[in-house]
PDB file of all heavy atoms in Angstrom:
ATOM      1  N   GLU S 943      18.321   8.141  68.967  1.00  0.00           N
ATOM      2  CA  GLU S 943      17.688   8.085  67.646  1.00  0.00           C
ATOM      3  C   GLU S 943      18.136   6.886  66.828  1.00  0.00           C
ATOM      4  O   GLU S 943      17.558   6.594  65.779  1.00  0.00           O
ATOM      5  CB  GLU S 943      17.929   9.378  66.874  1.00  0.00           C
ATOM      6  CG  GLU S 943      19.374   9.678  66.560  1.00  0.00           C
ATOM      7  CD  GLU S 943      20.038  10.552  67.607  1.00  0.00           C
ATOM      8  OE1 GLU S 943      19.685  10.438  68.803  1.00  0.00           O
ATOM      9  OE2 GLU S 943      20.918  11.352  67.218  1.00  0.00           O
ATOM     10  N   PHE S 944      19.161   6.180  67.294  1.00  0.00           N
ATOM     11  CA  PHE S 944      19.645   4.997  66.576  1.00  0.00           C
ATOM     12  C   PHE S 944      19.419   3.710  67.364  1.00  0.00           C
ATOM     13  O   PHE S 944      20.140   2.731  67.189  1.00  0.00           O
ATOM     14  CB  PHE S 944      21.129   5.169  66.228  1.00  0.00           C
ATOM     15  CG  PHE S 944      21.389   6.291  65.269  1.00  0.00           C
ATOM     16  CD1 PHE S 944      21.993   7.461  65.691  1.00  0.00           C
ATOM     17  CD2 PHE S 944      21.015   6.179  63.934  1.00  0.00           C
ATOM     18  CE1 PHE S 944      22.234   8.507  64.808  1.00  0.00           C
ATOM     19  CE2 PHE S 944      21.246   7.216  63.041  1.00  0.00           C
ATOM     20  CZ  PHE S 944      21.854   8.384  63.480  1.00  0.00           C
ATOM     21  N   ARG S 945      18.414   3.722  68.217  1.00  0.00           N
ATOM     22  CA  ARG S 945      18.028   2.516  68.941  1.00  0.00           C
ATOM     23  C   ARG S 945      16.856   1.840  68.230  1.00  0.00           C
ATOM     24  O   ARG S 945      15.810   2.449  68.014  1.00  0.00           O
ATOM     25  CB  ARG S 945      17.639   2.855  70.377  1.00  0.00           C
ATOM     26  CG  ARG S 945      18.819   3.307  71.229  1.00  0.00           C
ATOM     27  CD  ARG S 945      18.407   3.767  72.598  1.00  0.00           C
ATOM     28  NE  ARG S 945      19.561   4.296  73.333  1.00  0.00           N
ATOM     29  CZ  ARG S 945      19.472   5.052  74.419  1.00  0.00           C
ATOM     30  NH1 ARG S 945      18.260   5.385  74.897  1.00  0.00           N
ATOM     31  NH2 ARG S 945      20.562   5.475  75.017  1.00  0.00           N
ATOM     32  N   VAL S 946      17.076   0.608  67.864  1.00  0.00           N
ATOM     33  CA  VAL S 946      16.032  -0.136  67.155  1.00  0.00           C
ATOM     34  C   VAL S 946      14.779  -0.248  68.016  1.00  0.00           C
ATOM     35  O   VAL S 946      13.645  -0.165  67.520  1.00  0.00           O
ATOM     36  CB  VAL S 946      16.549  -1.544  66.768  1.00  0.00           C
ATOM     37  CG1 VAL S 946      15.444  -2.347  66.100  1.00  0.00           C
ATOM     38  CG2 VAL S 946      17.764  -1.430  65.855  1.00  0.00           C
ATOM     39  N   GLY S 947      14.977  -0.405  69.307  1.00  0.00           N
ATOM     40  CA  GLY S 947      13.842  -0.553  70.215  1.00  0.00           C
ATOM     41  C   GLY S 947      12.938   0.654  70.278  1.00  0.00           C
ATOM     42  O   GLY S 947      11.767   0.544  70.665  1.00  0.00           O
ATOM     43  N   SER S 948      13.440   1.818  69.875  1.00  0.00           N
ATOM     44  CA  SER S 948      12.617   3.026  69.894  1.00  0.00           C
ATOM     45  C   SER S 948      11.667   3.092  68.715  1.00  0.00           C
ATOM     46  O   SER S 948      10.734   3.893  68.697  1.00  0.00           O
ATOM     47  CB  SER S 948      13.515   4.264  69.888  1.00  0.00           C
ATOM     48  OG  SER S 948      14.182   4.391  68.636  1.00  0.00           O
ATOM     49  N   GLY S 949      11.938   2.252  67.699  1.00  0.00           N
ATOM     50  CA  GLY S 949      11.095   2.249  66.509  1.00  0.00           C
ATOM     51  C   GLY S 949      11.532   3.228  65.440  1.00  0.00           C
ATOM     52  O   GLY S 949      11.014   3.206  64.317  1.00  0.00           O
ATOM     53  N   SER S 950      12.489   4.091  65.762  1.00  0.00           N
ATOM     54  CA  SER S 950      12.925   5.101  64.797  1.00  0.00           C
ATOM     55  C   SER S 950      14.089   4.622  63.935  1.00  0.00           C
ATOM     56  O   SER S 950      14.380   5.219  62.895  1.00  0.00           O
ATOM     57  CB  SER S 950      13.332   6.388  65.530  1.00  0.00           C
ATOM     58  OG  SER S 950      14.403   6.132  66.422  1.00  0.00           O
ATOM     59  N   TRP S 951      14.751   3.547  64.351  1.00  0.00           N
ATOM     60  CA  TRP S 951      15.907   3.036  63.618  1.00  0.00           C
ATOM     61  C   TRP S 951      15.643   1.595  63.224  1.00  0.00           C
ATOM     62  O   TRP S 951      15.214   0.784  64.052  1.00  0.00           O
ATOM     63  CB  TRP S 951      17.160   3.144  64.476  1.00  0.00           C
ATOM     64  CG  TRP S 951      18.445   2.814  63.783  1.00  0.00           C
ATOM     65  CD1 TRP S 951      19.347   1.870  64.146  1.00  0.00           C
ATOM     66  CD2 TRP S 951      18.978   3.437  62.612  1.00  0.00           C
ATOM     67  NE1 TRP S 951      20.420   1.854  63.286  1.00  0.00           N
ATOM     68  CE2 TRP S 951      20.220   2.818  62.323  1.00  0.00           C
ATOM     69  CE3 TRP S 951      18.537   4.456  61.768  1.00  0.00           C
ATOM     70  CZ2 TRP S 951      21.011   3.173  61.237  1.00  0.00           C
ATOM     71  CZ3 TRP S 951      19.332   4.817  60.689  1.00  0.00           C
ATOM     72  CH2 TRP S 951      20.539   4.182  60.430  1.00  0.00           C
ATOM     73  N   THR S 952      15.874   1.280  61.955  1.00  0.00           N
ATOM     74  CA  THR S 952      15.531  -0.045  61.454  1.00  0.00           C
ATOM     75  C   THR S 952      16.696  -0.640  60.656  1.00  0.00           C
ATOM     76  O   THR S 952      17.629   0.063  60.267  1.00  0.00           O
ATOM     77  CB  THR S 952      14.306   0.013  60.528  1.00  0.00           C
ATOM     78  OG1 THR S 952      14.645   0.778  59.351  1.00  0.00           O
ATOM     79  CG2 THR S 952      13.116   0.656  61.223  1.00  0.00           C
ATOM     80  N   GLU S 953      16.606  -1.924  60.386  1.00  0.00           N
ATOM     81  CA  GLU S 953      17.594  -2.605  59.563  1.00  0.00           C
ATOM     82  C   GLU S 953      17.637  -1.996  58.158  1.00  0.00           C
ATOM     83  O   GLU S 953      18.726  -1.810  57.581  1.00  0.00           O
ATOM     84  CB  GLU S 953      17.258  -4.096  59.467  1.00  0.00           C
ATOM     85  CG  GLU S 953      18.202  -4.916  58.613  1.00  0.00           C
ATOM     86  CD  GLU S 953      19.531  -5.211  59.286  1.00  0.00           C
ATOM     87  OE1 GLU S 953      19.596  -5.136  60.521  1.00  0.00           O
ATOM     88  OE2 GLU S 953      20.495  -5.516  58.556  1.00  0.00           O
ATOM     89  N   ALA S 954      16.475  -1.674  57.609  1.00  0.00           N
ATOM     90  CA  ALA S 954      16.420  -1.101  56.260  1.00  0.00           C
ATOM     91  C   ALA S 954      17.121   0.259  56.208  1.00  0.00           C
ATOM     92  O   ALA S 954      17.848   0.558  55.247  1.00  0.00           O
ATOM     93  CB  ALA S 954      14.973  -0.964  55.810  1.00  0.00           C
ATOM     94  N   LYS S 955      16.910   1.081  57.221  1.00  0.00           N
ATOM     95  CA  LYS S 955      17.569   2.388  57.255  1.00  0.00           C
ATOM     96  C   LYS S 955      19.078   2.225  57.410  1.00  0.00           C
ATOM     97  O   LYS S 955      19.865   2.959  56.803  1.00  0.00           O
ATOM     98  CB  LYS S 955      17.005   3.238  58.391  1.00  0.00           C
ATOM     99  CG  LYS S 955      15.570   3.696  58.169  1.00  0.00           C
ATOM    100  CD  LYS S 955      15.073   4.526  59.340  1.00  0.00           C
ATOM    101  CE  LYS S 955      13.637   4.986  59.115  1.00  0.00           C
ATOM    102  NZ  LYS S 955      13.118   5.792  60.257  1.00  0.00           N
ATOM    103  N   TYR S 956      19.469   1.273  58.208  1.00  0.00           N
ATOM    104  CA  TYR S 956      20.898   1.002  58.392  1.00  0.00           C
ATOM    105  C   TYR S 956      21.532   0.584  57.071  1.00  0.00           C
ATOM    106  O   TYR S 956      22.601   1.093  56.701  1.00  0.00           O
ATOM    107  CB  TYR S 956      21.068  -0.087  59.443  1.00  0.00           C
ATOM    108  CG  TYR S 956      22.468  -0.629  59.587  1.00  0.00           C
ATOM    109  CD1 TYR S 956      23.563   0.219  59.759  1.00  0.00           C
ATOM    110  CD2 TYR S 956      22.703  -2.005  59.566  1.00  0.00           C
ATOM    111  CE1 TYR S 956      24.848  -0.290  59.897  1.00  0.00           C
ATOM    112  CE2 TYR S 956      23.981  -2.519  59.704  1.00  0.00           C
ATOM    113  CZ  TYR S 956      25.053  -1.654  59.874  1.00  0.00           C
ATOM    114  OH  TYR S 956      26.322  -2.155  60.009  1.00  0.00           O
ATOM    115  N   ARG S 957      20.885  -0.302  56.331  1.00  0.00           N
ATOM    116  CA  ARG S 957      21.424  -0.737  55.034  1.00  0.00           C
ATOM    117  C   ARG S 957      21.511   0.423  54.053  1.00  0.00           C
ATOM    118  O   ARG S 957      22.450   0.527  53.262  1.00  0.00           O
ATOM    119  CB  ARG S 957      20.548  -1.848  54.450  1.00  0.00           C
ATOM    120  CG  ARG S 957      20.510  -3.110  55.282  1.00  0.00           C
ATOM    121  CD  ARG S 957      21.850  -3.788  55.320  1.00  0.00           C
ATOM    122  NE  ARG S 957      21.927  -4.787  56.377  1.00  0.00           N
ATOM    123  CZ  ARG S 957      23.028  -5.436  56.717  1.00  0.00           C
ATOM    124  NH1 ARG S 957      24.158  -5.180  56.077  1.00  0.00           N
ATOM    125  NH2 ARG S 957      23.019  -6.310  57.696  1.00  0.00           N
ATOM    126  N   LYS S 958      20.520   1.305  54.119  1.00  0.00           N
ATOM    127  CA  LYS S 958      20.546   2.467  53.236  1.00  0.00           C
ATOM    128  C   LYS S 958      21.723   3.363  53.573  1.00  0.00           C
ATOM    129  O   LYS S 958      22.393   3.898  52.682  1.00  0.00           O
ATOM    130  CB  LYS S 958      19.228   3.237  53.339  1.00  0.00           C
ATOM    131  CG  LYS S 958      19.133   4.417  52.376  1.00  0.00           C
ATOM    132  CD  LYS S 958      17.759   5.072  52.417  1.00  0.00           C
ATOM    133  CE  LYS S 958      17.672   6.209  51.395  1.00  0.00           C
ATOM    134  NZ  LYS S 958      16.326   6.844  51.412  1.00  0.00           N
ATOM    135  N   ARG S 959      21.989   3.529  54.863  1.00  0.00           N
ATOM    136  CA  ARG S 959      23.118   4.360  55.269  1.00  0.00           C
ATOM    137  C   ARG S 959      24.443   3.756  54.817  1.00  0.00           C
ATOM    138  O   ARG S 959      25.361   4.473  54.416  1.00  0.00           O
ATOM    139  CB  ARG S 959      23.130   4.549  56.790  1.00  0.00           C
ATOM    140  CG  ARG S 959      22.057   5.498  57.296  1.00  0.00           C
ATOM    141  CD  ARG S 959      22.556   6.306  58.469  1.00  0.00           C
ATOM    142  NE  ARG S 959      23.616   7.238  58.104  1.00  0.00           N
ATOM    143  CZ  ARG S 959      24.298   7.971  58.974  1.00  0.00           C
ATOM    144  NH1 ARG S 959      24.034   7.856  60.273  1.00  0.00           N
ATOM    145  NH2 ARG S 959      25.224   8.800  58.579  1.00  0.00           N
ATOM    146  N   LEU S 960      24.565   2.449  54.885  1.00  0.00           N
ATOM    147  CA  LEU S 960      25.779   1.794  54.402  1.00  0.00           C
ATOM    148  C   LEU S 960      25.974   2.064  52.912  1.00  0.00           C
ATOM    149  O   LEU S 960      27.078   2.413  52.466  1.00  0.00           O
ATOM    150  CB  LEU S 960      25.718   0.287  54.657  1.00  0.00           C
ATOM    151  CG  LEU S 960      25.726  -0.177  56.116  1.00  0.00           C
ATOM    152  CD1 LEU S 960      25.547  -1.691  56.181  1.00  0.00           C
ATOM    153  CD2 LEU S 960      27.019   0.235  56.816  1.00  0.00           C
ATOM    154  N   ASP S 961      24.898   1.907  52.154  1.00  0.00           N
ATOM    155  CA  ASP S 961      24.975   2.151  50.711  1.00  0.00           C
ATOM    156  C   ASP S 961      25.286   3.618  50.407  1.00  0.00           C
ATOM    157  O   ASP S 961      26.076   3.929  49.503  1.00  0.00           O
ATOM    158  CB  ASP S 961      23.666   1.747  50.030  1.00  0.00           C
ATOM    159  CG  ASP S 961      23.452   0.236  50.016  1.00  0.00           C
ATOM    160  OD1 ASP S 961      24.439  -0.508  50.161  1.00  0.00           O
ATOM    161  OD2 ASP S 961      22.292  -0.187  49.866  1.00  0.00           O
ATOM    162  N   ASN S 962      24.654   4.522  51.159  1.00  0.00           N
ATOM    163  CA  ASN S 962      24.897   5.952  50.934  1.00  0.00           C
ATOM    164  C   ASN S 962      26.330   6.341  51.275  1.00  0.00           C
ATOM    165  O   ASN S 962      26.930   7.204  50.622  1.00  0.00           O
ATOM    166  CB  ASN S 962      23.919   6.791  51.762  1.00  0.00           C
ATOM    167  CG  ASN S 962      22.531   6.842  51.145  1.00  0.00           C
ATOM    168  OD1 ASN S 962      22.256   6.127  50.178  1.00  0.00           O
ATOM    169  ND2 ASN S 962      21.657   7.652  51.701  1.00  0.00           N
ATOM    170  N   THR S 963      26.883   5.699  52.305  1.00  0.00           N
ATOM    171  CA  THR S 963      28.274   5.963  52.668  1.00  0.00           C
ATOM    172  C   THR S 963      29.199   5.576  51.523  1.00  0.00           C
ATOM    173  O   THR S 963      30.102   6.337  51.137  1.00  0.00           O
ATOM    174  CB  THR S 963      28.657   5.189  53.941  1.00  0.00           C
ATOM    175  OG1 THR S 963      27.856   5.654  55.036  1.00  0.00           O
ATOM    176  CG2 THR S 963      30.132   5.372  54.276  1.00  0.00           C
ATOM    177  N   ALA S 964      28.991   4.407  50.968  1.00  0.00           N
ATOM    178  CA  ALA S 964      29.810   3.949  49.838  1.00  0.00           C
ATOM    179  C   ALA S 964      29.630   4.849  48.624  1.00  0.00           C
ATOM    180  O   ALA S 964      30.598   5.159  47.914  1.00  0.00           O
ATOM    181  CB  ALA S 964      29.456   2.504  49.495  1.00  0.00           C
ATOM    182  N   LYS S 965      28.398   5.297  48.378  1.00  0.00           N
ATOM    183  CA  LYS S 965      28.124   6.174  47.239  1.00  0.00           C
ATOM    184  C   LYS S 965      28.877   7.492  47.394  1.00  0.00           C
ATOM    185  O   LYS S 965      29.462   8.009  46.428  1.00  0.00           O
ATOM    186  CB  LYS S 965      26.622   6.429  47.126  1.00  0.00           C
ATOM    187  CG  LYS S 965      26.219   7.299  45.935  1.00  0.00           C
ATOM    188  CD  LYS S 965      24.705   7.492  45.902  1.00  0.00           C
ATOM    189  CE  LYS S 965      24.298   8.395  44.739  1.00  0.00           C
ATOM    190  NZ  LYS S 965      22.828   8.639  44.721  1.00  0.00           N
ATOM    191  N   ALA S 966      28.882   8.044  48.605  1.00  0.00           N
ATOM    192  CA  ALA S 966      29.584   9.300  48.864  1.00  0.00           C
ATOM    193  C   ALA S 966      31.085   9.138  48.656  1.00  0.00           C
ATOM    194  O   ALA S 966      31.737   9.979  48.035  1.00  0.00           O
ATOM    195  CB  ALA S 966      29.284   9.780  50.282  1.00  0.00           C
ATOM    196  N   VAL S 967      31.642   8.050  49.167  1.00  0.00           N
ATOM    197  CA  VAL S 967      33.073   7.805  49.032  1.00  0.00           C
ATOM    198  C   VAL S 967      33.458   7.636  47.569  1.00  0.00           C
ATOM    199  O   VAL S 967      34.434   8.219  47.082  1.00  0.00           O
ATOM    200  CB  VAL S 967      33.490   6.562  49.844  1.00  0.00           C
ATOM    201  CG1 VAL S 967      34.914   6.132  49.505  1.00  0.00           C
ATOM    202  CG2 VAL S 967      33.370   6.836  51.342  1.00  0.00           C
ATOM    203  N   ARG S 968      32.671   6.858  46.839  1.00  0.00           N
ATOM    204  CA  ARG S 968      33.012   6.586  45.436  1.00  0.00           C
ATOM    205  C   ARG S 968      32.850   7.811  44.548  1.00  0.00           C
ATOM    206  O   ARG S 968      33.408   7.858  43.442  1.00  0.00           O
ATOM    207  CB  ARG S 968      32.190   5.411  44.911  1.00  0.00           C
ATOM    208  CG  ARG S 968      32.722   4.064  45.383  1.00  0.00           C
ATOM    209  CD  ARG S 968      32.160   2.929  44.575  1.00  0.00           C
ATOM    210  NE  ARG S 968      30.830   2.571  44.999  1.00  0.00           N
ATOM    211  CZ  ARG S 968      30.554   1.579  45.856  1.00  0.00           C
ATOM    212  NH1 ARG S 968      31.539   0.861  46.372  1.00  0.00           N
ATOM    213  NH2 ARG S 968      29.319   1.303  46.183  1.00  0.00           N
ATOM    214  N   SER S 969      32.115   8.827  45.016  1.00  0.00           N
ATOM    215  CA  SER S 969      31.985  10.046  44.220  1.00  0.00           C
ATOM    216  C   SER S 969      33.324  10.765  44.063  1.00  0.00           C
ATOM    217  O   SER S 969      33.485  11.591  43.164  1.00  0.00           O
ATOM    218  CB  SER S 969      30.966  10.990  44.866  1.00  0.00           C
ATOM    219  OG  SER S 969      31.497  11.616  46.030  1.00  0.00           O
ATOM    220  N   LEU S 970      34.283  10.439  44.930  1.00  0.00           N
ATOM    221  CA  LEU S 970      35.598  11.059  44.874  1.00  0.00           C
ATOM    222  C   LEU S 970      36.555  10.357  43.920  1.00  0.00           C
ATOM    223  O   LEU S 970      37.594  10.904  43.557  1.00  0.00           O
ATOM    224  CB  LEU S 970      36.236  11.040  46.268  1.00  0.00           C
ATOM    225  CG  LEU S 970      35.649  11.982  47.330  1.00  0.00           C
ATOM    226  CD1 LEU S 970      36.098  11.534  48.711  1.00  0.00           C
ATOM    227  CD2 LEU S 970      36.096  13.405  47.064  1.00  0.00           C
ATOM    228  N   LEU S 971      36.217   9.133  43.515  1.00  0.00           N
ATOM    229  CA  LEU S 971      37.139   8.308  42.748  1.00  0.00           C
ATOM    230  C   LEU S 971      36.946   8.532  41.261  1.00  0.00           C
ATOM    231  O   LEU S 971      35.878   8.276  40.715  1.00  0.00           O
ATOM    232  CB  LEU S 971      36.930   6.833  43.104  1.00  0.00           C
ATOM    233  CG  LEU S 971      37.021   6.511  44.607  1.00  0.00           C
ATOM    234  CD1 LEU S 971      36.717   5.045  44.848  1.00  0.00           C
ATOM    235  CD2 LEU S 971      38.395   6.869  45.152  1.00  0.00           C
ATOM    236  N   GLN S 972      37.985   8.993  40.600  1.00  0.00           N
ATOM    237  CA  GLN S 972      37.901   9.312  39.188  1.00  0.00           C
ATOM    238  C   GLN S 972      38.108   8.100  38.292  1.00  0.00           C
ATOM    239  O   GLN S 972      37.766   8.121  37.119  1.00  0.00           O
ATOM    240  CB  GLN S 972      38.950  10.383  38.840  1.00  0.00           C
ATOM    241  CG  GLN S 972      38.820  11.656  39.654  1.00  0.00           C
ATOM    242  CD  GLN S 972      37.484  12.347  39.456  1.00  0.00           C
ATOM    243  OE1 GLN S 972      36.974  12.432  38.341  1.00  0.00           O
ATOM    244  NE2 GLN S 972      36.913  12.844  40.538  1.00  0.00           N
ATOM    245  N   ASP S 973      38.690   7.032  38.849  1.00  0.00           N
ATOM    246  CA  ASP S 973      39.010   5.865  38.026  1.00  0.00           C
ATOM    247  C   ASP S 973      37.928   4.800  38.036  1.00  0.00           C
ATOM    248  O   ASP S 973      38.095   3.733  37.461  1.00  0.00           O
ATOM    249  CB  ASP S 973      40.339   5.253  38.474  1.00  0.00           C
ATOM    250  CG  ASP S 973      40.321   4.835  39.950  1.00  0.00           C
ATOM    251  OD1 ASP S 973      39.260   4.996  40.592  1.00  0.00           O
ATOM    252  OD2 ASP S 973      41.351   4.358  40.447  1.00  0.00           O
ATOM    253  N   GLY S 974      36.806   5.072  38.700  1.00  0.00           N
ATOM    254  CA  GLY S 974      35.718   4.114  38.734  1.00  0.00           C
ATOM    255  C   GLY S 974      35.974   2.906  39.606  1.00  0.00           C
ATOM    256  O   GLY S 974      35.243   1.910  39.522  1.00  0.00           O
ATOM    257  N   SER S 975      36.980   2.969  40.478  1.00  0.00           N
ATOM    258  CA  SER S 975      37.287   1.835  41.342  1.00  0.00           C
ATOM    259  C   SER S 975      36.235   1.698  42.430  1.00  0.00           C
ATOM    260  O   SER S 975      35.471   2.617  42.714  1.00  0.00           O
ATOM    261  CB  SER S 975      38.678   1.998  41.962  1.00  0.00           C
ATOM    262  OG  SER S 975      38.756   3.173  42.740  1.00  0.00           O
ATOM    263  N   ALA S 976      36.220   0.524  43.050  1.00  0.00           N
ATOM    264  CA  ALA S 976      35.185   0.214  44.035  1.00  0.00           C
ATOM    265  C   ALA S 976      35.421   0.893  45.375  1.00  0.00           C
ATOM    266  O   ALA S 976      34.520   0.965  46.209  1.00  0.00           O
ATOM    267  CB  ALA S 976      35.105  -1.298  44.239  1.00  0.00           C
ATOM    268  N   GLY S 977      36.613   1.412  45.577  1.00  0.00           N
ATOM    269  CA  GLY S 977      36.929   2.075  46.829  1.00  0.00           C
ATOM    270  C   GLY S 977      38.363   2.547  46.834  1.00  0.00           C
ATOM    271  O   GLY S 977      39.185   2.086  46.045  1.00  0.00           O
ATOM    272  N   PRO S 978      38.721   3.484  47.719  1.00  0.00           N
ATOM    273  CA  PRO S 978      40.109   3.940  47.811  1.00  0.00           C
ATOM    274  C   PRO S 978      40.982   2.833  48.393  1.00  0.00           C
ATOM    275  O   PRO S 978      40.482   1.865  48.966  1.00  0.00           O
ATOM    276  CB  PRO S 978      40.016   5.140  48.749  1.00  0.00           C
ATOM    277  CG  PRO S 978      38.843   4.813  49.636  1.00  0.00           C
ATOM    278  CD  PRO S 978      37.858   4.116  48.740  1.00  0.00           C
ATOM    279  N   ASP S 979      42.285   2.994  48.287  1.00  0.00           N
ATOM    280  CA  ASP S 979      43.190   1.994  48.849  1.00  0.00           C
ATOM    281  C   ASP S 979      43.088   1.945  50.367  1.00  0.00           C
ATOM    282  O   ASP S 979      43.143   0.875  50.967  1.00  0.00           O
ATOM    283  CB  ASP S 979      44.637   2.305  48.436  1.00  0.00           C
ATOM    284  CG  ASP S 979      44.839   2.156  46.941  1.00  0.00           C
ATOM    285  OD1 ASP S 979      44.553   1.066  46.411  1.00  0.00           O
ATOM    286  OD2 ASP S 979      45.261   3.132  46.302  1.00  0.00           O
ATOM    287  N   ILE S 980      42.944   3.106  50.987  1.00  0.00           N
ATOM    288  CA  ILE S 980      42.778   3.200  52.433  1.00  0.00           C
ATOM    289  C   ILE S 980      41.571   4.089  52.709  1.00  0.00           C
ATOM    290  O   ILE S 980      41.488   5.206  52.200  1.00  0.00           O
ATOM    291  CB  ILE S 980      44.029   3.780  53.114  1.00  0.00           C
ATOM    292  CG1 ILE S 980      45.254   2.896  52.836  1.00  0.00           C
ATOM    293  CG2 ILE S 980      43.823   3.913  54.616  1.00  0.00           C
ATOM    294  CD1 ILE S 980      46.556   3.469  53.368  1.00  0.00           C
ATOM    295  N   LEU S 981      40.650   3.591  53.497  1.00  0.00           N
ATOM    296  CA  LEU S 981      39.430   4.328  53.835  1.00  0.00           C
ATOM    297  C   LEU S 981      39.395   4.557  55.340  1.00  0.00           C
ATOM    298  O   LEU S 981      39.337   3.607  56.120  1.00  0.00           O
ATOM    299  CB  LEU S 981      38.187   3.553  53.392  1.00  0.00           C
ATOM    300  CG  LEU S 981      36.825   4.145  53.770  1.00  0.00           C
ATOM    301  CD1 LEU S 981      36.660   5.566  53.217  1.00  0.00           C
ATOM    302  CD2 LEU S 981      35.692   3.242  53.266  1.00  0.00           C
ATOM    303  N   CYS S 982      39.446   5.822  55.747  1.00  0.00           N
ATOM    304  CA  CYS S 982      39.456   6.208  57.156  1.00  0.00           C
ATOM    305  C   CYS S 982      38.098   6.796  57.520  1.00  0.00           C
ATOM    306  O   CYS S 982      37.677   7.790  56.923  1.00  0.00           O
ATOM    307  CB  CYS S 982      40.563   7.222  57.425  1.00  0.00           C
ATOM    308  SG  CYS S 982      42.225   6.596  57.077  1.00  0.00           S
ATOM    309  N   LEU S 983      37.441   6.175  58.480  1.00  0.00           N
ATOM    310  CA  LEU S 983      36.081   6.573  58.841  1.00  0.00           C
ATOM    311  C   LEU S 983      36.023   7.092  60.273  1.00  0.00           C
ATOM    312  O   LEU S 983      36.558   6.472  61.193  1.00  0.00           O
ATOM    313  CB  LEU S 983      35.124   5.385  58.694  1.00  0.00           C
ATOM    314  CG  LEU S 983      35.006   4.787  57.293  1.00  0.00           C
ATOM    315  CD1 LEU S 983      34.115   3.558  57.319  1.00  0.00           C
ATOM    316  CD2 LEU S 983      34.469   5.814  56.300  1.00  0.00           C
ATOM    317  N   VAL S 984      35.363   8.216  60.441  1.00  0.00           N
ATOM    318  CA  VAL S 984      35.133   8.813  61.747  1.00  0.00           C
ATOM    319  C   VAL S 984      33.646   8.715  62.073  1.00  0.00           C
ATOM    320  O   VAL S 984      32.803   8.913  61.204  1.00  0.00           O
ATOM    321  CB  VAL S 984      35.584  10.290  61.749  1.00  0.00           C
ATOM    322  CG1 VAL S 984      35.250  10.962  63.080  1.00  0.00           C
ATOM    323  CG2 VAL S 984      37.071  10.391  61.468  1.00  0.00           C
ATOM    324  N   GLU S 985      33.328   8.395  63.318  1.00  0.00           N
ATOM    325  CA  GLU S 985      31.957   8.261  63.815  1.00  0.00           C
ATOM    326  C   GLU S 985      31.254   7.003  63.314  1.00  0.00           C
ATOM    327  O   GLU S 985      30.044   7.008  63.070  1.00  0.00           O
ATOM    328  CB  GLU S 985      31.124   9.514  63.519  1.00  0.00           C
ATOM    329  CG  GLU S 985      31.597  10.736  64.294  1.00  0.00           C
ATOM    330  CD  GLU S 985      30.587  11.882  64.315  1.00  0.00           C
ATOM    331  OE1 GLU S 985      29.425  11.664  63.896  1.00  0.00           O
ATOM    332  OE2 GLU S 985      30.965  12.974  64.766  1.00  0.00           O
TER     333      GLU S 985
END
């Protein structure tokens, strides 16, 4: 489902996922910082 050649995965969707990941992470930060000091990502 994440193969560009299949037509179901695109650059635009990938960029959206990157932005959504950052949005989710920053929802935890109470000080309004751009990111935690250490960010551990799985998958």
Side-chain angles (χ1 to χ4, degrees):
E943 63 267 33
F944 295 108
R945 291 174 185 163
V946 177
S948 69
S950 60
W951 187 237
T952 65
E953 179 76 21
K955 291 180 180 179
Y956 171 51
R957 297 294 165 187
K958 184 175 183 179
R959 286 216 67 186
L960 294 175
D961 290 339
N962 283 8
T963 297
K965 182 180 178 182
V967 169
R968 282 196 280 264
S969 74
L970 288 163
L971 306 177
Q972 303 299 319
D973 58 2
S975 60
D979 294 304
I980 300 175
L981 176 58
C982 299
L983 299 176
V984 176
E985 293 195 11

